[in-house]
């Protein structure tokens, strides 16, 4: 059993701490990954704050990339030495939804239980007690053992922090535009909330050719970045009625698609109100469990308004991760602009606090900051 440093949450409301854990070798259908980079995401904060069900002692992190160090029996791909991004919702590949190309709807995954396919975990603490890996990957650790179908090979040349963000916020945001909504060129779009996911929605809307493209947030720096990424207008959020009026003016009477990426009931309600007749409100951000929003039923029916939920951007990671990586390499998806700061593992609790107060976009833990290698330069063992 190897030793690894990992960010462990023992109970909600108690700050997570870096601990030394034991990690077992991969079993059948699993791979061992040396994690090179991991984003710190709001979903980790929801767990740490007790907004979502707490699974027990758990290694946080679900937005990571690294190098395959070993494979268990029966694994044909990925291979040792492959650079991979780690999907946080691994599919069983056998159920009806997986067979229909809807792995994001797989009901047989163990990801929500934070377990490997055999229903166990590979992590142990100093006393020998079991520690779960958040969403089966637990990327805020030096190493991880994950289901093979969660480790998606990437093309050569993608920096580690970019590969990590492809794993969650970029796939979620871009996928919401391209898959869940199917935005067509020339359609007016508005995006509420400009964190890592919201700015990824902006980048996805640019790829789709949306116009006009309106970005909404309370933080001026985030609005400025959205404009640099391709938004055509920025609305600094304030009073709801005034915000809606400015959005409608900027979109010529209402958006064809309104994306909610803040994960707040209030902004979900604004998104539903911001669409024109026949428009679609796409809910991407995740609030605390049990929170509810309301909407005008008569207006929704009379206006033929659609409300769509977009889990993981309705993406297929095995297809979309490499595609997004190629778009980055081609200069069409500036994912690196989302990185607010590169930090060490010991600074991860500070990154969670920054998310809590709305500071910055994405802070990325880099486990070997002196190592400039991109995934394509990894030497196979």
């Amino acid at each position: 059993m190897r030793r690894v440093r990992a960010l462990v949450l023992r109970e909600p409301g108690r700050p997570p701490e870096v601990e030394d854990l034991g990690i077992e070798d991969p079993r059948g259908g699993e791979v061992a990954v040396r994690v090179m980079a991991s984003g710190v995401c709001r979903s980790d904060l929801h767990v740490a704050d007790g907004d979502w069900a707490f699974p027990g002692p758990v290694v946080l992190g679900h937005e990571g990339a690294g190098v395959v160090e070993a494979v268990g029996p029966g694994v044909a791909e990925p291979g040792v030495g492959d650079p991979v991004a780690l999907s946080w919702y691994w599919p069983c590949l056998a159920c009806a939804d997986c067979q229909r190309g809807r792995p994001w709807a797989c009901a047989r995954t163990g990801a929500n239980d934070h377990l490997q396919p055999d229903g166990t975990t590979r992590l142990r603490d100093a006393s020998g007690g079991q520690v779960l890996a958040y969403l089966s990957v637990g990327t805020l650790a030096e190493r991880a053992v994950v289901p093979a179908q969660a480790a998606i090979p990437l093309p050569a040349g993608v920096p580690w922090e970019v590969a990590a963000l492809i794993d969650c916020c970029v796939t979620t945001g871009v996928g919401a535009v391209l898959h869940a909504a199917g935005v067509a060129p020339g359609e007016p779009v508005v995006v509420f909330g400009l964190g890592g996911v919201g700015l990824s929605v902006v980048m996805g809307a640019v790829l789709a050719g949306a116009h006009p493209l309106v970005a909404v947030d309370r933080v001026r720096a985030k609005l400025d970045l959205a404009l640099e990424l391709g938004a055509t207008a920025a609305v600094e959020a304030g009073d709801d009625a005034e915000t809606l009026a400015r959005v409608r003016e900027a979109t010529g009477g209402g958006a064809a698609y309104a994306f909610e990426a803040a994960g707040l009931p209030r902004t979900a309600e604004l998104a539903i109100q911001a669409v024109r007749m026949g428009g679609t409100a796409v809910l991407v951000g995740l609030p605390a469990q049990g929170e509810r929003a309301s909407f005008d039923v008569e207006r929704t029916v009379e206006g033929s308004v659609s409300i769509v939920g977009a889990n993981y951007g309705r993406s297929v990671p095995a297809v979309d991760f490499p595609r997004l990586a190629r778009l980055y390499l081609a200069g069409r998806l500036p994912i690196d602009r989302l990185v607010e700061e590169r930090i060490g593992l010991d600074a991860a609790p500070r990154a969670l606090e920054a998310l809590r107060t709305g500071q910055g976009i994405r802070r990325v833990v880099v486990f070997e900051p002196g190592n400039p290698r991109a995934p394509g330069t990894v030497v196979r063992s």
Side-chain angles (χ1 to χ4, degrees):
M1 184 178 293
R2 302 186 69 166
R3 307 302 299 178
V4 296
R5 297 177 74 242
L7 187 70
V8 179
L9 179 70
R10 289 284 172 179
E11 59 185 65
R14 172 181 166 186
E17 296 181 352
V18 175
E19 298 185 19
D20 288 320
L21 302 178
I23 187 167
E24 300 171 352
D25 292 334
R27 300 181 187 176
E30 301 169 1
V31 300
V33 176
R34 175 162 53 100
V35 180
M36 301 298 290
S38 174
V40 181
C41 177
R42 183 166 289 276
S43 293
D44 301 307
L45 182 63
H46 277 305
V47 175
D49 286 351
D51 294 338
W52 296 350
F54 179 64
V58 62
V59 173
L60 293 174
H62 60 284
E63 189 175 65
V67 184
V68 176
E69 289 191 313
V71 301
V75 175
E77 189 180 70
V80 173
D82 282 347
V84 294
L86 300 179
S87 170
W88 54 259
Y89 198 78
W90 58 269
C92 74
L93 301 180
C95 70
D97 280 310
C98 284
Q99 292 297 305
R100 286 199 298 263
R102 292 157 42 103
W104 45 269
C106 176
R108 296 183 184 176
T109 179
N112 291 327
D113 297 317
H114 320 286
L115 298 170
Q116 299 303 311
D118 67 357
T120 63
T121 179
R122 302 290 158 265
L123 297 165
R124 298 290 183 275
D125 62 18
S127 65
Q130 293 188 350
V131 178
L132 302 178
Y134 184 48
L135 294 172
S136 304
V137 291
T139 59
L140 285 169
E142 294 171 326
R143 286 177 169 80
V145 171
V146 306
Q149 55 267 49
I152 311 300
L154 295 180
V158 183
W160 292 117
E161 59 268 35
V162 169
L165 297 190
I166 286 173
D167 173 23
C168 182
C169 71
V170 175
T171 292
T172 299
V174 175
V177 175
L178 303 183
H179 301 314
V183 173
E187 293 185 309
V189 164
V190 60
V191 183
F192 291 91
L194 300 175
V197 172
L199 287 168
S200 295
V201 172
V202 170
M203 291 192 292
V206 170
L207 281 174
H211 187 85
L213 173 52
V214 183
V216 183
D217 202 280
R218 291 183 175 276
V219 180
R220 187 68 240 179
K222 294 181 180 181
L223 291 168
D224 291 341
L225 180 53
L227 290 170
E228 293 173 16
L229 292 173
T232 60
V235 172
E236 192 164 341
D239 174 77
D240 287 353
E242 182 181 348
T243 299
L244 279 172
R246 294 181 63 191
V247 166
R248 287 172 180 150
E249 179 182 5
T251 55
Y257 294 93
F259 293 86
E260 195 289 323
L264 299 171
R266 178 184 177 188
T267 45
E269 293 171 358
L270 285 174
I272 294 167
Q273 295 176 70
V275 297
R276 66 188 184 191
M277 180 173 285
T280 301
V282 185
L283 308 185
V284 185
L286 286 168
Q289 288 175 335
E291 291 194 351
R292 295 178 177 274
S294 62
F295 59 91
D296 186 327
V297 177
E298 187 276 336
R299 177 188 179 274
T300 302
V301 176
E302 184 71 17
S304 293
V305 171
S306 299
I307 301 173
V308 173
N311 180 35
Y312 216 168
R314 297 192 180 180
S315 295
V316 180
V319 175
D320 288 304
F321 283 13
R323 177 183 295 163
L324 295 170
R326 290 193 296 269
L327 286 167
Y328 166 79
L329 292 170
R332 298 186 60 196
L333 198 63
I335 299 169
D336 53 305
R337 298 296 307 278
L338 303 181
V339 180
E340 177 82 7
E341 185 181 8
R342 294 162 180 82
I343 60 176
L345 182 61
D346 291 313
R350 174 171 62 83
L352 288 171
E353 181 58 33
L355 283 174
R356 186 178 286 113
T357 55
Q359 300 175 40
I361 310 301
R362 263 300 190 275
R363 285 168 172 81
V364 180
V365 172
V366 179
F367 287 92
E368 297 186 23
N371 182 353
R373 296 177 299 176
T377 62
V378 173
V379 178
R380 289 179 177 270
S381 58

